[in-house]
Amino acid sequence: MFIIPRVNSDGYRKYYEHLYGNRENQIATVELSSAGIRYWSDGAESFWPWRRINSVEETDESIFFYFDGNGFAVRKSGFAYPDESVTFVNFAQGHLSEARNQQLQG
């Protein structure tokens, strides 16, 4: 018996698209603050304090936030100007470093 029969044949993207629909085209809002990351999408809201974020990674197209067992991407095309995405990433990486330092000290 296969629990996830389509994963091997079509890949993870198609499998999850089948389960949850194509969420990549839905508008999401991400707000960074000194406390953490707030994410709104599809009528739901999530919050992660910086201490829960494992890494912030950047590609040419997206900024990825990873936390235990999951993550989400912020598309750079959502910023009005390229400088805004640079400021966004710098803010996130700075607060992530600060949270790690606090964990080491305390």
Side-chain angles (χ1 to χ4, degrees):
M1 172 181 230
F2 290 101
I3 296 174
I4 307 174
R6 298 187 61 117
V7 169
N8 291 330
S9 63
D10 295 336
Y12 289 107
R13 181 182 297 257
K14 291 220 182 260
Y15 172 72
Y16 284 105
E17 186 175 314
H18 175 73
L19 283 179
Y20 302 110
N22 187 355
R23 299 189 74 182
E24 284 187 16
N25 295 326
Q26 293 182 6
I27 294 175
T29 301
V30 178
E31 178 183 273
L32 303 183
S33 71
S34 59
I37 303 169
R38 192 167 306 282
Y39 177 90
W40 293 271
S41 179
D42 198 24
E45 179 181 345
S46 299
F47 176 80
W48 298 276
W50 289 111
R51 64 181 169 71
R52 297 274 317 275
I53 302 298
N54 295 330
S55 67
V56 177
E57 298 178 16
E58 183 179 13
T59 66
D60 290 339
E61 296 179 354
S62 300
I63 303 160
F64 295 91
F65 293 87
Y66 295 104
F67 48 95
D68 290 338
N70 211 333
F72 63 91
V74 175
R75 302 286 298 202
K76 289 183 177 179
S77 61
F79 293 94
Y81 301 100
D83 290 349
E84 290 178 345
S85 69
V86 171
T87 302
F88 187 85
V89 169
N90 290 341
F91 185 91
Q93 290 175 336
H95 280 79
L96 180 59
S97 293
E98 186 178 311
R100 286 185 177 160
N101 289 337
Q102 288 176 356
Q103 286 178 327
L104 292 174
Q105 293 173 1

